[in-house]
Amino acid sequence: MEIQEIIKPENLVYQKTPLLNDDVMHYCPGCSHGVVHKLLAELIEEMDLQEKTIGVAPVGCSVFAYNYIDIDWQEAAHGRAPAVATGIARINPDNFVFTYQGDGDLASIGTAEIMHACNRGENILVIFINNGIYGMTGGQMAPTTLEGMVTSTTPNGRNVDLNGYPMKITNLIAQLPGTSYVTRQSVHTAAAVRKCKRSIKKAIQNVLDKKGTSFVEVVSTCNSGWKMTPVDSNKWMEENMIPYYPLGDMKDTIKGEHSDR
Amino acid sequence: MAKFVGAVVVDKETCKGCGVCVDACPESVLALHRDVNGKGYHYSYMKDAGACIGCINCGVVCPDTCITVYRAKAS
Ligand SMILES: Cc1ncc(C[n+]2csc(CCOP(=O)(O)OP(=O)(O)O)c2C)c(N)n1
Ligand code: SF4
Ligand code: SF4
Ligand code: SF4
Ligand SMILES: [Mg+2]
């Protein structure tokens, strides 16, 4: 069959969702942020939530997230997205409110905000992009940086005696009774992207059903900060990040029903 | 013979040449072109168009959503 016979409207099986506008994302080639933005945009469109959704953008590489997905957004100061989202969700209980945060933003500067928002069980979705590094500011160590991992502030590798241990903050969050659905996913293969999308969909549904805080960690790459090609970064992530940050659901319940899984 | 035949259209100018679509393609259809686009990136293209089965893996992994996929029943 000739290509021209295949490329016809009736044969279309995959295209960009209209919720992603035509602005070219500022992310480095191959950055996981773009994939997660796309999943959010696709789900908001498929679940017909464009008019109901309010996103809260962080500080970090995804500081400009509001430029790309055509929904309502609010920018928050570094780490403070869960506090801002709390205010928005409380005065607009029928809206779908989510935060989008990096690991420096969520697990370092905003540790207090995320812990208390999750503990209160605010009815929001948290998307947590764990790329093990401060991407935006030039690849400094983050709380999530693996032991031995070289960053611009740990040139000899993270030393746990000096820098502490890589923090599995999602495991801590799963222990809080305010959270309903807590999962760790990734987007490094097509299968992983599909699975991640199903998880985010479930998390969004939980928020719509007012079950409490839903939290989706996405183990991600920062190829610029890691100083590898995008394809090598995906492989490095699979071999090094995922064994320490294993993928899968950690909790699936409703707010207040404590589960120690 | 494959039951489905596919074809992809890569938006050459928005492609950043990251290569993750090339890696994700199960049929080794895609490659990065030796030429570059307006931004200087070696863009992705169908090097072996006849092998595409329209599985959409390339589109799913592309961080910049540059790939549109078509699929038809093989005749
Ligand atoms: C109050 C405050 N402190 C520090 C900074 C500098 N800063 C900007 S982004 C960033 C780290 C972002 O890392 P992360 O949240 O992991 O996002 P990534 O870029 O990796 O996606 C820091 C420390 C800031 N903007 N504001
Ligand atoms: S610095 Fe890292 S996280 Fe930031 S856009 Fe580049 S690859 Fe992505
Ligand atoms: S649709 Fe599937 S087979 Fe065709 S180029 Fe994309 S990944 Fe390869
Ligand atoms: S994944 Fe997208 S941006 Fe990267 S090379 Fe392929 S088409 Fe280009
Ligand atoms: Mg980071």
Side-chain angles (χ1 to χ4, degrees):
Chain A
M1 207 185 252
E2 287 300 311
I3 291 184
Q4 269 58 44
E5 287 178 65
I6 305 169
I7 300 177
K8 285 184 183 162
E10 62 267 33
N11 294 334
L12 180 69
V13 284
Y14 189 83
Q15 68 174 341
K16 179 169 162 166
T17 163
L19 233 65
L20 277 178
N21 59 36
D22 288 334
D23 288 355
V24 176
M25 293 189 198
H26 67 287
Y27 300 115
C28 305
C31 176
S32 306
H33 276 302
V35 184
V36 182
H37 284 22
K38 174 170 69 176
L39 293 185
L40 276 167
E42 285 176 358
L43 285 166
I44 292 167
E45 206 248 322
E46 287 164 22
M47 297 171 85
D48 200 17
L49 295 171
Q50 182 173 9
E51 300 302 324
K52 275 183 87 165
T53 303
I54 304 172
V56 185
V59 171
C61 278
S62 46
V63 65
F64 296 133
Y66 50 74
N67 280 340
Y68 308 125
I69 308 177
D70 284 338
I71 50 169
D72 287 331
W73 286 93
Q74 173 63 49
E75 176 61 52
H78 206 6
R80 276 53 178 174
V84 173
T86 296
I88 297 173
R90 285 191 178 199
I91 55 168
N92 301 289
D94 293 324
N95 284 66
F96 162 55
V97 181
F98 74 91
T99 72
Y100 185 103
Q101 305 177 253
D103 46 342
D105 188 85
L106 183 144
S108 180
I109 193 159
T111 315
E113 280 73 12
I114 193 64
M115 282 296 168
H116 290 289
C118 290
N119 192 47
R120 293 189 304 266
E122 298 299 339
N123 201 44
I124 58 172
L125 162 67
V126 177
I127 300 284
F128 169 41
I129 307 295
N130 176 10
N131 55 16
I133 208 159
Y134 285 13
M136 183 197 203
T137 40
Q140 293 85 358
M141 189 194 85
T144 46
T145 298
L146 296 179
E147 184 173 354
M149 190 171 161
V150 173
T151 69
S152 60
T153 46
T154 55
N156 300 317
R158 182 178 188 154
N159 171 352
V160 293
D161 292 332
L162 190 65
N163 311 120
Y165 294 89
M167 193 186 279
K168 298 182 185 183
I169 196 160
T170 305
N171 298 56
L172 301 178
I173 280 164
Q175 298 302 313
L176 300 172
T179 50
S180 68
Y181 177 53
V182 181
T183 187
R184 189 186 285 122
Q185 301 293 327
S186 76
V187 290
H188 66 300
T189 62
V193 177
R194 290 185 175 97
K195 202 156 171 282
C196 186
K197 184 171 175 178
R198 285 197 292 275
S199 291
I200 298 175
K201 182 171 186 179
K202 183 183 170 89
I204 294 175
Q205 192 58 52
N206 276 14
V207 176
L208 297 176
D209 296 343
K210 303 197 187 329
K211 287 185 173 174
T213 312
S214 280
F215 190 99
V216 181
E217 172 178 346
V218 185
V219 184
S220 297
T221 64
C222 169
N223 59 77
S224 288
W226 296 1
K227 307 202 186 313
M228 291 173 209
T229 67
V231 171
D232 287 350
S233 297
N234 279 336
K235 296 203 162 62
W236 191 89
M237 186 185 96
E238 194 163 2
E239 284 160 18
N240 297 279
M241 294 277 284
I242 292 177
Y244 192 81
Y245 298 111
L247 307 182
D249 290 354
M250 288 178 212
K251 182 180 192 178
D252 186 1
T253 173
I254 51 172
K255 174 178 167 176
E257 281 184 5
H258 200 82
S259 106
D260 281 321
R261 261 193 291 164
Chain B
M1 218 190 114
K3 282 194 191 122
F4 291 98
V5 287
V8 307
V9 176
V10 179
D11 184 340
K12 182 178 149 184
E13 286 309 318
T14 56
C15 171
K16 293 178 181 165
C18 71
V20 302
C21 57
V22 176
D23 192 56
C25 175
E27 306 295 326
S28 305
V29 173
L30 303 170
L32 297 183
H33 207 283
R34 59 187 288 274
D35 292 343
V36 294
N37 63 15
K39 291 207 185 84
Y41 292 122
H42 293 280
Y43 53 90
S44 172
Y45 78 111
M46 283 203 289
K47 191 178 179 194
D48 185 8
C52 179
I53 53 171
C55 71
I56 81 171
N57 278 8
C58 52
V60 166
V61 298
C62 175
D64 289 277
T65 327
C66 320
I67 301 182
T68 307
V69 185
Y70 298 85
R71 180 171 57 214
K73 280 220 172 79
S75 51

